[in-house]
Every structure is written in structure tokens, then in C-alpha cells.
Amino acid sequence: QVQLVESGGGLVQAGGSLRLSCAVSGHAFSRYATGWFRQAPRKEREFVAGISWSATLTYYSDSVKGRFTISRDNTKNTVYLQMNSLKPEDTAVYYCAVEWGLCSLSLAMYAYWGQGTQVTVSS
């Protein structure tokens, strides 16, 4: 069974930075793509960034492009989301998720999800 654990969330002021981590285990040596999603209260969960196994494919939502960077270290089975120039509208619970395809921007394609980590950006 695949397990994902997010960490690195917290409270920061606008303009600050955070680095989220997603540790993946139990994948039985399978290659996988990973996405970061976020969900604010009373909002739909939305795609933030995605990365293929080889990291040759990366995708970002328009709202975070230029500010966030997704990366991975497969030797550590860990995916990262570096978040810079944070804005109050970035406040949400951030989730990482795994899919067995190349790299999907669709939430429905992801089979495994972490529990999420809270990111709060104050003004």
C-alpha cells in the first residue's frame, strides 16, 4: 500500500517562503508521477504543480507559476514544493498525490493521497 506524508507547512507572512516535502513509501519500486494540490475552506481542491518520475515534465497552475518550484529526489522517495513570494490567497491545506501515469493535471487520475499540511499566509 502506498503511503504519503506531507510536512513543512506553517504560518508565514506575505512575501515569505516555505518548503513542503512529501515522503512516499510502499510503492514497491514502481515509478510514479506526483502532484501537489491545495484546498481552501469551501473551495474545490485544485491542482498546483505536478512532476513526472524523471522530472522531465513539470506543470504549474497559472496562479503559482514563477513563484513555486516542484522537484523530487527519487533516492529519498521525496517530492518537494518550494513556495516563494507567498500571498494570502495561497492559504490552504496542501496535499501531495501519486498517479501511475506520466503526469496528470486532473485530480481524478491520482490514486493515493497524503493527509495534507496546512499553509497559512498572513497579510
Side-chain angles (χ1 to χ4, degrees), residues 31-85:
R31 301 189 176 199
Y32 55 89
T34 306
W36 284 98
F37 297 79
R38 67 187 182 187
Q39 187 167 18
R42 299 186 179 183
K43 299 280 189 177
E44 294 289 324
R45 187 158 49 186
E46 65 176 352
F47 173 82
V48 176
I51 187 168
S52 64
W53 172 262
S54 64
T56 56
L57 296 175
T58 58
Y59 300 94
Y60 299 93
S61 68
D62 289 340
S63 62
V64 307
K65 191 175 181 64
R67 299 187 297 120
F68 292 9
T69 303
I70 189 169
S71 62
R72 69 192 306 155
D73 184 346
N74 289 338
T75 66
K76 299 180 179 179
N77 291 319
T78 302
V79 180
Y80 306 96
L81 184 67
Q82 179 67 47
M83 306 185 295
N84 298 326
S85 301

Coordinates of all heavy atoms in Angstrom, one line a residue, residues 31-85:
R31 N 7.5 3.2 -10.6 CA 7.7 4.6 -10.9 C 6.3 5.3 -11.0 O 5.3 4.8 -11.3 CB 8.4 4.8 -12.3 CG 9.8 4.1 -12.3 CD 10.5 4.4 -13.5 NE 11.9 3.8 -13.5 CZ 12.9 4.2 -14.2 NH1 12.7 5.2 -15.1 NH2 14.1 3.6 -14.1
Y32 N 6.3 6.6 -10.5 CA 5.1 7.3 -10.4 C 5.3 8.8 -10.6 O 6.4 9.3 -10.4 CB 4.5 7.1 -9.0 CG 5.5 7.4 -7.9 CD1 5.5 8.7 -7.3 CD2 6.3 6.4 -7.3 CE1 6.4 9.0 -6.3 CE2 7.2 6.7 -6.3 CZ 7.3 8.0 -5.8 OH 8.2 8.3 -4.8
A33 N 4.3 9.4 -11.0 CA 4.2 10.9 -11.1 C 3.6 11.4 -9.8 O 2.8 10.8 -9.2 CB 3.5 11.4 -12.3
T34 N 3.9 12.6 -9.4 CA 3.4 13.2 -8.2 C 2.9 14.6 -8.5 O 3.5 15.4 -9.2 CB 4.5 13.3 -7.2 OG1 5.1 12.0 -7.0 CG2 4.0 13.8 -5.8
G35 N 1.8 14.9 -7.9 CA 1.2 16.2 -8.0 C 1.0 16.8 -6.6 O 0.8 16.1 -5.6
W36 N 1.0 18.1 -6.6 CA 0.6 18.9 -5.4 C -0.7 19.6 -5.7 O -0.9 20.2 -6.8 CB 1.6 20.0 -5.1 CG 2.9 19.4 -4.4 CD1 4.1 19.1 -5.0 CD2 3.0 19.2 -3.0 NE1 5.0 18.7 -4.0 CE2 4.3 18.7 -2.8 CE3 2.2 19.3 -1.9 CZ2 4.8 18.3 -1.5 CZ3 2.6 18.9 -0.6 CH2 4.0 18.4 -0.5
F37 N -1.6 19.5 -4.8 CA -2.9 20.1 -4.8 C -3.2 20.9 -3.6 O -2.5 20.7 -2.6 CB -4.0 19.0 -5.0 CG -4.0 18.2 -6.2 CD1 -3.1 17.2 -6.4 CD2 -4.8 18.5 -7.3 CE1 -3.0 16.4 -7.5 CE2 -4.7 17.8 -8.5 CZ -3.8 16.8 -8.6
R38 N -4.1 21.8 -3.6 CA -4.5 22.5 -2.4 C -6.0 22.7 -2.3 O -6.7 22.8 -3.3 CB -3.7 23.9 -2.3 CG -4.2 24.9 -3.4 CD -3.2 26.1 -3.4 NE -3.6 27.1 -4.3 CZ -2.9 28.2 -4.6 NH1 -1.8 28.4 -3.9 NH2 -3.3 29.1 -5.5
Q39 N -6.5 22.9 -1.1 CA -7.9 23.1 -0.9 C -8.1 24.1 0.2 O -7.7 23.9 1.4 CB -8.6 21.8 -0.6 CG -10.1 21.9 -0.5 CD -10.8 20.6 -0.4 OE1 -10.2 19.6 -0.2 NE2 -12.1 20.6 -0.7
A40 N -8.7 25.2 -0.1 CA -9.0 26.2 0.9 C -10.4 26.0 1.4 O -11.2 25.2 0.7 CB -9.0 27.6 0.2
P41 N -10.8 26.5 2.5 CA -12.2 26.3 3.1 C -13.2 26.6 2.1 O -13.2 27.7 1.4 CB -12.2 27.2 4.3 CG -10.8 27.3 4.7 CD -10.0 27.3 3.5
R42 N -14.2 25.7 1.9 CA -15.3 25.9 1.0 C -14.9 26.1 -0.5 O -15.7 26.6 -1.3 CB -16.2 27.1 1.5 CG -16.8 26.9 2.8 CD -17.8 27.9 3.2 NE -18.4 27.7 4.5 CZ -19.3 28.5 5.1 NH1 -19.7 29.5 4.4 NH2 -19.7 28.2 6.3
K43 N -13.7 25.6 -0.8 CA -13.3 25.7 -2.2 C -13.0 24.3 -2.7 O -12.8 23.3 -1.9 CB -12.0 26.5 -2.3 CG -12.1 27.9 -1.9 CD -12.7 28.8 -3.0 CE -12.6 30.2 -2.6 NZ -13.1 31.1 -3.7
E44 N -13.1 24.1 -4.0 CA -12.7 22.8 -4.6 C -11.2 22.6 -4.5 O -10.4 23.6 -4.5 CB -13.2 22.8 -6.0 CG -14.7 22.8 -6.2 CD -15.3 21.5 -5.8 OE1 -14.7 20.5 -6.0 OE2 -16.5 21.6 -5.3
R45 N -10.8 21.4 -4.4 CA -9.4 21.1 -4.4 C -8.9 21.3 -5.8 O -9.5 20.9 -6.8 CB -9.2 19.6 -4.0 CG -7.7 19.2 -3.9 CD -7.6 18.0 -3.0 NE -8.5 16.9 -3.4 CZ -8.7 15.8 -2.7 NH1 -8.0 15.5 -1.6 NH2 -9.5 14.9 -3.2
E46 N -7.7 22.0 -5.9 CA -7.2 22.4 -7.2 C -5.8 22.0 -7.4 O -5.0 21.9 -6.4 CB -7.3 23.9 -7.3 CG -6.5 24.7 -6.4 CD -6.5 26.2 -6.6 OE1 -7.1 26.7 -7.6 OE2 -6.0 27.0 -5.8
F47 N -5.4 21.8 -8.6 CA -4.1 21.4 -9.0 C -3.1 22.6 -8.8 O -3.5 23.8 -9.1 CB -4.0 21.0 -10.4 CG -2.7 20.8 -11.0 CD1 -2.0 19.6 -10.8 CD2 -2.0 21.7 -11.7 CE1 -0.8 19.3 -11.3 CE2 -0.8 21.5 -12.2 CZ -0.1 20.3 -12.0
V48 N -2.0 22.3 -8.2 CA -0.9 23.4 -8.0 C 0.3 23.1 -8.9 O 0.7 24.0 -9.6 CB -0.5 23.4 -6.6 CG1 0.6 24.4 -6.4 CG2 -1.7 23.8 -5.7
A49 N 0.8 21.9 -8.8 CA 2.0 21.6 -9.6 C 2.1 20.1 -9.7 O 1.7 19.3 -8.8 CB 3.3 22.1 -8.9
G50 N 2.8 19.6 -10.8 CA 3.0 18.2 -11.0 C 4.4 17.9 -11.6 O 5.0 18.8 -12.2
I51 N 4.8 16.7 -11.3 CA 6.2 16.3 -11.8 C 6.2 14.9 -12.2 O 5.6 14.0 -11.4 CB 7.3 16.7 -10.8 CG1 8.7 16.5 -11.3 CG2 7.0 15.9 -9.5 CD1 9.8 17.0 -10.4
S52 N 6.8 14.5 -13.3 CA 6.9 13.2 -13.7 C 8.0 12.5 -12.9 O 8.8 13.1 -12.2 CB 7.2 13.1 -15.2 OG 8.4 13.7 -15.5
W53 N 8.1 11.2 -13.1 CA 9.1 10.4 -12.4 C 10.5 10.9 -12.7 O 11.4 11.1 -11.8 CB 9.0 8.9 -12.7 CG 10.1 8.1 -12.2 CD1 11.2 7.7 -12.8 CD2 10.3 7.6 -10.8 NE1 12.1 7.0 -12.0 CE2 11.5 6.9 -10.8 CE3 9.5 7.7 -9.7 CZ2 12.0 6.3 -9.6 CZ3 10.0 7.1 -8.5 CH2 11.2 6.4 -8.5
S54 N 10.8 11.1 -13.9 CA 12.1 11.5 -14.4 C 12.4 13.0 -14.2 O 13.5 13.5 -14.4 CB 12.3 11.2 -15.8 OG 11.4 11.9 -16.7
A55 N 11.3 13.8 -13.8 CA 11.3 15.2 -13.7 C 11.5 16.0 -15.0 O 11.8 17.2 -15.0 CB 12.4 15.6 -12.7
T56 N 11.4 15.2 -16.1 CA 11.4 15.9 -17.4 C 10.2 16.7 -17.7 O 10.2 17.5 -18.6 CB 11.7 14.9 -18.5 OG1 10.7 13.9 -18.5 CG2 13.1 14.2 -18.3
L57 N 9.1 16.3 -17.0 CA 7.8 17.1 -17.2 C 7.4 17.7 -15.9 O 7.3 17.0 -14.9 CB 6.7 16.1 -17.7 CG 6.9 15.5 -19.1 CD1 5.8 14.5 -19.3 CD2 6.9 16.5 -20.2
T58 N 7.2 19.0 -15.9 CA 6.6 19.7 -14.8 C 5.5 20.6 -15.2 O 5.6 21.2 -16.4 CB 7.7 20.5 -14.0 OG1 8.3 21.4 -15.0 CG2 8.8 19.6 -13.5
Y59 N 4.6 20.8 -14.4 CA 3.4 21.7 -14.7 C 3.1 22.5 -13.5 O 3.2 22.0 -12.4 CB 2.2 20.8 -15.1 CG 2.4 19.9 -16.3 CD1 2.8 18.6 -16.2 CD2 2.3 20.5 -17.6 CE1 3.1 17.8 -17.3 CE2 2.5 19.7 -18.7 CZ 2.9 18.3 -18.6 OH 3.1 17.5 -19.7
Y60 N 2.6 23.7 -13.8 CA 2.2 24.6 -12.7 C 0.9 25.3 -13.1 O 0.6 25.6 -14.2 CB 3.3 25.7 -12.5 CG 4.6 25.2 -12.1 CD1 5.6 24.9 -13.0 CD2 4.9 25.0 -10.7 CE1 6.8 24.4 -12.6 CE2 6.1 24.5 -10.3 CZ 7.1 24.2 -11.3 OH 8.3 23.7 -10.9
S61 N 0.1 25.5 -12.1 CA -1.1 26.4 -12.3 C -0.6 27.8 -12.6 O 0.4 28.2 -12.1 CB -2.0 26.3 -11.1 OG -1.5 26.9 -10.0
D62 N -1.5 28.5 -13.3 CA -1.1 29.9 -13.6 C -0.9 30.8 -12.3 O -0.1 31.7 -12.3 CB -2.2 30.5 -14.5 CG -2.2 30.0 -15.9 OD1 -1.2 29.4 -16.3 OD2 -3.2 30.1 -16.6
S63 N -1.7 30.4 -11.3 CA -1.6 31.2 -10.1 C -0.3 31.1 -9.3 O 0.0 32.0 -8.5 CB -2.8 30.9 -9.2 OG -2.7 29.5 -8.7
V64 N 0.5 30.1 -9.6 CA 1.7 29.9 -8.8 C 2.9 29.9 -9.7 O 4.1 29.9 -9.2 CB 1.7 28.6 -8.0 CG1 0.5 28.5 -7.1 CG2 1.8 27.3 -8.9
K65 N 2.8 29.9 -11.0 CA 3.9 29.8 -11.9 C 4.8 31.0 -11.7 O 4.4 32.2 -11.6 CB 3.4 29.8 -13.4 CG 4.4 29.5 -14.4 CD 3.8 29.4 -15.8 CE 4.9 29.1 -16.8 NZ 5.5 27.8 -16.6
G66 N 6.1 30.7 -11.6 CA 7.1 31.8 -11.3 C 7.4 32.0 -9.9 O 8.4 32.6 -9.5
R67 N 6.5 31.4 -9.0 CA 6.7 31.6 -7.6 C 7.0 30.2 -6.9 O 7.8 30.2 -5.9 CB 5.5 32.2 -6.9 CG 5.1 33.6 -7.4 CD 4.0 34.2 -6.6 NE 2.8 33.5 -6.7 CZ 2.1 32.9 -5.7 NH1 2.6 33.0 -4.4 NH2 1.0 32.3 -5.9
F68 N 6.4 29.2 -7.4 CA 6.6 27.8 -6.8 C 7.5 27.0 -7.7 O 7.4 27.1 -9.0 CB 5.2 27.1 -6.6 CG 4.3 27.7 -5.6 CD1 4.6 28.9 -5.0 CD2 3.2 27.0 -5.2 CE1 3.8 29.5 -4.0 CE2 2.3 27.6 -4.3 CZ 2.6 28.8 -3.7
T69 N 8.2 26.1 -7.1 CA 9.0 25.1 -7.9 C 8.8 23.7 -7.3 O 9.0 23.5 -6.1 CB 10.5 25.5 -7.8 OG1 10.7 26.9 -8.3 CG2 11.3 24.6 -8.7
I70 N 8.5 22.8 -8.2 CA 8.4 21.4 -7.8 C 9.6 20.7 -8.2 O 10.2 20.9 -9.2 CB 7.1 20.8 -8.4 CG1 6.9 19.4 -7.8 CG2 7.2 20.7 -9.9 CD1 5.5 18.8 -8.1
S71 N 10.1 19.8 -7.3 CA 11.2 19.0 -7.6 C 11.1 17.6 -6.9 O 10.2 17.4 -6.1 CB 12.5 19.7 -7.2 OG 12.5 19.9 -5.8
R72 N 12.0 16.7 -7.2 CA 12.0 15.4 -6.5 C 13.4 14.8 -6.3 O 14.3 15.1 -7.1 CB 11.1 14.5 -7.2 CG 11.6 14.0 -8.6 CD 10.4 13.3 -9.3 NE 9.9 12.2 -8.6 CZ 8.6 11.7 -8.7 NH1 7.8 12.2 -9.6 NH2 8.2 10.7 -8.0
D73 N 13.5 14.0 -5.3 CA 14.8 13.3 -5.1 C 14.3 11.8 -5.0 O 13.9 11.4 -3.9 CB 15.5 13.7 -3.9 CG 16.8 13.0 -3.7 OD1 17.1 12.0 -4.3 OD2 17.6 13.5 -2.8
N74 N 14.5 11.1 -6.1 CA 14.0 9.7 -6.1 C 14.8 8.8 -5.2 O 14.3 7.7 -4.8 CB 13.9 9.2 -7.5 CG 12.8 9.8 -8.3 OD1 11.8 10.3 -7.7 ND2 12.9 9.8 -9.6
T75 N 16.0 9.1 -4.9 CA 16.9 8.3 -4.0 C 16.3 8.4 -2.6 O 16.6 7.5 -1.8 CB 18.3 8.8 -4.0 OG1 18.4 10.1 -3.4 CG2 18.9 8.8 -5.4
K76 N 15.6 9.5 -2.3 CA 14.9 9.6 -1.0 C 13.4 9.4 -1.0 O 12.8 9.5 0.0 CB 15.2 11.0 -0.4 CG 16.7 11.3 -0.2 CD 16.9 12.7 0.4 CE 18.4 13.0 0.6 NZ 18.6 14.4 1.1
N77 N 12.9 9.1 -2.2 CA 11.5 9.0 -2.4 C 10.7 10.2 -1.8 O 9.7 10.0 -1.1 CB 11.0 7.7 -1.7 CG 11.5 6.4 -2.4 OD1 11.5 6.4 -3.7 ND2 11.9 5.4 -1.7
T78 N 11.2 11.3 -2.2 CA 10.6 12.5 -1.6 C 10.4 13.6 -2.8 O 11.3 13.7 -3.6 CB 11.5 13.1 -0.6 OG1 11.7 12.2 0.5 CG2 10.9 14.4 0.0
V79 N 9.3 14.2 -2.7 CA 8.9 15.3 -3.6 C 8.8 16.6 -2.8 O 8.3 16.6 -1.7 CB 7.6 15.0 -4.4 CG1 7.3 16.1 -5.4 CG2 7.8 13.7 -5.1
Y80 N 9.2 17.7 -3.4 CA 9.3 19.0 -2.7 C 8.5 20.0 -3.5 O 8.3 19.9 -4.7 CB 10.7 19.5 -2.6 CG 11.7 18.5 -2.0 CD1 12.4 17.7 -2.7 CD2 11.7 18.4 -0.6 CE1 13.3 16.8 -2.1 CE2 12.6 17.5 0.0 CZ 13.4 16.7 -0.8 OH 14.3 15.8 -0.2
L81 N 8.0 21.0 -2.7 CA 7.4 22.1 -3.3 C 7.9 23.4 -2.6 O 7.6 23.6 -1.5 CB 5.8 22.1 -3.2 CG 5.1 23.2 -3.9 CD1 5.2 23.1 -5.4 CD2 3.6 23.3 -3.5
Q82 N 8.8 24.1 -3.3 CA 9.4 25.3 -2.8 C 8.4 26.4 -3.2 O 8.1 26.7 -4.3 CB 10.7 25.6 -3.4 CG 11.4 26.9 -3.0 CD 11.7 26.9 -1.5 OE1 12.3 25.9 -1.0 NE2 11.4 27.9 -0.8
M83 N 7.9 27.1 -2.2 CA 7.0 28.2 -2.3 C 7.6 29.5 -1.9 O 7.9 29.7 -0.7 CB 5.7 27.9 -1.5 CG 5.1 26.6 -1.8 SD 3.5 26.3 -1.0 CE 4.1 26.3 0.7
N84 N 7.7 30.4 -2.9 CA 8.3 31.7 -2.6 C 7.2 32.8 -2.9 O 6.2 32.6 -3.5 CB 9.5 32.0 -3.5 CG 10.6 31.0 -3.2 OD1 10.9 30.6 -2.1 ND2 11.4 30.7 -4.3
S85 N 7.5 34.0 -2.3 CA 6.6 35.1 -2.5 C 5.2 34.8 -2.2 O 4.2 35.1 -3.0 CB 6.7 35.7 -4.0 OG 8.1 36.0 -4.3

